[in-house]
Amino acid sequence: MTAVTVGGTSVLLVNVDGDVRAYRNRCPHQEWALDEGDFDGEIITCSRHLWEFDARSGAGRNPATCSLSVFPCRVDEVGMIHVDVR
């Protein structure tokens, strides 16, 4: 799990079993940077109030009523990660 800036937007990149996912690098609760939290391979946990999100989908696990903003992304043939923040 790492944060990068794409077109002025902070993006959280997560590798889940070889699949790269891209999310807005902010917890929907209080806009805390998610890259300061934890990632156990399946769950992203915000360091501020311990909200949890499914790393594959961005769906909230605790609480289940929220989710992360997802950005489309792909990894090209040379391993470059492309993220669409539009």
Side-chain angles (χ1 to χ4, degrees):
M1 176 171 83
T2 191
V4 298
T5 301
V6 178
T9 300
S10 184
V11 176
L12 182 72
L13 295 176
V14 182
N15 184 329
V16 184
D17 295 326
D19 292 326
V20 177
R21 303 285 194 243
Y23 302 104
R24 183 172 175 262
N25 187 30
R26 293 285 177 255
C27 179
H29 179 218
Q30 290 186 340
E31 300 295 309
W32 200 257
L34 288 169
D35 67 307
E36 296 178 8
D38 294 315
F39 174 55
D40 69 2
E42 295 179 12
I43 304 296
I44 300 165
T45 304
C46 179
S47 65
R48 185 70 172 194
H49 294 106
L50 305 179
W51 282 30
E52 298 177 334
F53 305 91
D54 183 286
R56 281 202 183 281
S57 66
R61 305 229 348 188
N62 176 30
T65 57
C66 66
S67 62
L68 300 179
S69 297
V70 180
F71 295 122
C73 73
R74 67 177 178 83
V75 180
D76 69 18
E77 60 279 348
V78 296
M80 178 78 68
I81 301 169
H82 299 268
V83 180
D84 183 359
V85 295
R86 289 182 268 140

